[in-house]
């Protein structure tokens, strides 16, 4: 069994603070401007990305959807066989 170093007392707190800072930076317009990005374009990209897959699936024929599903299932089974 691999040995791990013991957790420092404040390590979980520092990790949580880092995650929180990252989330705030993603949605803070000022932080986005500092990165050289346009906040309006970032917001539009987030909206479009969330629904893009659903719209693509609606536009595919049933044969295309079936082919994609078969390909995905085959890949999943290949991963299981490697274990």
């Amino acid at each position: 069994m691999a040995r791990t170093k013991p957790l420092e007392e404040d390590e979980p707190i520092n990790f949580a603070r880092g995650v929180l800072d990252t989330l705030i930076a993603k949605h803070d317009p000022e932080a986005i401007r500092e990165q050289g990005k346009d906040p309006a374009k970032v917001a539009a990209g987030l909206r479009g990305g969330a629904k893009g897959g659903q719209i693509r699936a609606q536009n595919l024929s049933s044969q295309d959807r079936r082919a994609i599903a078969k390909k995905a299932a085959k890949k999943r089974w290949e991963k299981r066989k490697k274990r």
Side-chain angles (χ1 to χ4, degrees):
M1 182 176 238
R3 291 186 147 192
T4 60
K5 69 175 185 134
L7 283 176
E8 297 294 325
E9 194 171 298
D10 62 343
E11 195 169 337
I13 295 170
N14 289 336
F15 176 75
R17 174 170 282 152
V19 170
L20 185 62
D21 290 343
T22 302
L23 290 172
I24 290 171
K26 282 186 178 179
H27 298 288
D28 181 24
E30 291 301 319
I32 292 171
R33 273 192 205 95
E34 289 174 8
Q35 295 173 356
K37 298 179 181 178
D38 181 11
K41 289 184 180 180
V42 171
L46 292 173
R47 282 194 311 270
K51 57 186 173 181
Q54 293 172 352
I55 292 172
R56 178 175 180 257
Q58 288 173 357
N59 292 334
L60 289 173
S61 69
S62 63
Q63 290 176 338
D64 290 338
R65 285 195 306 271
R66 183 175 290 136
I68 291 169
K70 280 185 178 182
K71 183 177 176 183
K74 185 177 179 182
K75 288 288 184 183
R76 283 195 303 271
W77 279 103
E78 285 175 5
K79 277 187 177 180
R80 284 187 178 183
K81 287 181 183 179
K82 288 180 184 179
R83 289 185 197 174

